Amino acid sequence: MEDIEKNLFWIGHASFYLKSNGYTIYIDPFKVSDKVAAREKADLILITHAHFDHFSKDDIAKVSKSDTQIITSTQTLEEGKNVKVATPGFRHEFHGIGIEAVPAYNVKSERLNFHPKGNRWVGYVISAESGRIYHAGDTDAIQEMKVLKDIDYALLPVGGTYTMTAEEAVEAAAYIKPKHVVPMHYKNLLGREGAAAAERVLESKLENVIVLKEVQEPTYSFQ
């Protein structure tokens, strides 16, 4: 298994790109810098759901080539030649890389309107050279996580408000039992001190946390 930090790159927020089998896969590209977009064009783009900080038409256009394939959630793009719409249970193979869409939704009463289960929005399990990578999308700790198997890297949102808090992500990690947990979707929501506190919670309760460094300076803020 290859070193994930040489193949998985955190753009910021919930946005990543992954190098595998000679291909570049973007997940929820958002506020991608011109430098990164010029250097790393997408062969495949995965979109988890319709919110602006995950489904950004400008960023999709910025990182796309003429033959870029897109797998996206409901309420975003229409299915077409280079576009497939995914709901939970969707499976696809992209040049030997397995893509599976899994449920992502809120269960906490204060969050139910943000990511309703009925929207059938998704996270993705990507079977790549670096292992099985689970990008959870925007979600709470849900029972469907318990059926995920052999996850090497679980990319979990920990910012609270719209998704799990760090404490709830610890619960999710107990469901998933991944080899490693990678936090996401928190720095610009929590600010510098809050983000550091979330990382401390994870690192104090889990022995397998990897905090990736963003590959570009943040260009946005929700504060």
Side-chain angles (χ1 to χ4, degrees):
M1 187 179 299
E2 298 183 0
D3 183 353
I4 192 66
E5 294 183 63
K6 295 180 180 178
N7 296 279
L8 181 68
F9 303 89
W10 189 22
I11 296 167
H13 200 48
S15 182
F16 295 81
Y17 69 88
L18 169 70
K19 310 286 283 187
S20 184
N21 291 10
Y23 296 96
T24 299
I25 300 171
Y26 274 82
I27 312 167
D28 287 354
F30 177 61
K31 297 296 184 183
V32 182
S33 71
D34 291 341
K35 182 178 180 180
V36 169
R39 185 180 70 238
E40 301 290 348
K41 292 298 184 185
D43 297 295
L44 175 66
I45 298 172
L46 306 178
I47 303 296
T48 62
H49 66 288
H51 289 161
F52 76 95
D53 51 331
H54 300 260
F55 171 56
S56 166
K57 287 185 177 181
D58 288 344
D59 287 283
I60 290 171
K62 180 183 276 192
V63 303
S64 288
K65 306 178 294 184
S66 61
D67 61 347
T68 297
Q69 301 290 306
I70 300 172
I71 297 175
T72 186
S73 72
T74 61
Q75 303 177 15
T76 55
L77 301 172
E78 293 185 3
E79 188 131 3
K81 179 182 177 182
N82 291 330
V83 178
K84 297 181 182 296
V85 175
T87 55
F90 171 94
R91 292 176 182 269
H92 180 69
E93 185 170 301
F94 179 81
H95 298 286
I97 304 165
I99 308 294
E100 179 184 357
V102 296
Y105 59 91
N106 291 129
V107 293
K108 295 290 185 178
S109 59
E110 66 271 22
R111 304 179 192 138
L112 290 177
N113 290 334
F114 295 133
H115 307 94
K117 186 175 183 179
N119 285 354
R120 304 195 74 198
W121 288 341
V122 296
Y124 292 99
V125 176
I126 306 165
S127 297
E129 289 176 299
S130 301
R132 282 171 53 82
I133 299 165
Y134 167 48
H135 185 295
D138 274 10
T139 188
D140 287 334
I142 55 177
Q143 293 298 308
E144 290 89 340
M145 290 174 173
K146 294 181 178 179
V147 303
L148 298 176
K149 301 296 184 185
D150 303 320
I151 300 299
D152 294 295
Y153 302 94
L155 282 51
L156 302 181
V158 301
T161 305
Y162 308 104
T163 69
M164 296 180 281
T165 63
E167 291 83 358
E168 290 163 351
V170 172
E171 178 184 359
Y175 290 169
I176 302 161
K177 298 180 174 60
K179 289 183 180 176
H180 302 283
V181 170
V182 179
M184 65 171 182
H185 201 284
Y186 66 105
K187 284 193 173 182
N188 287 279
L189 294 168
L190 299 178
R192 187 184 301 274
E193 292 184 5
E199 291 171 359
R200 286 195 297 271
V201 168
L202 293 174
E203 290 171 341
S204 69
K205 295 177 181 283
L206 299 171
E207 296 181 351
N208 57 348
V209 176
I210 298 175
V211 177
L212 292 180
K213 183 178 179 180
E214 293 153 297
V215 298
Q216 63 183 45
E217 290 297 317
T219 58
Y220 59 94
S221 176
F222 294 106
Q223 297 298 310

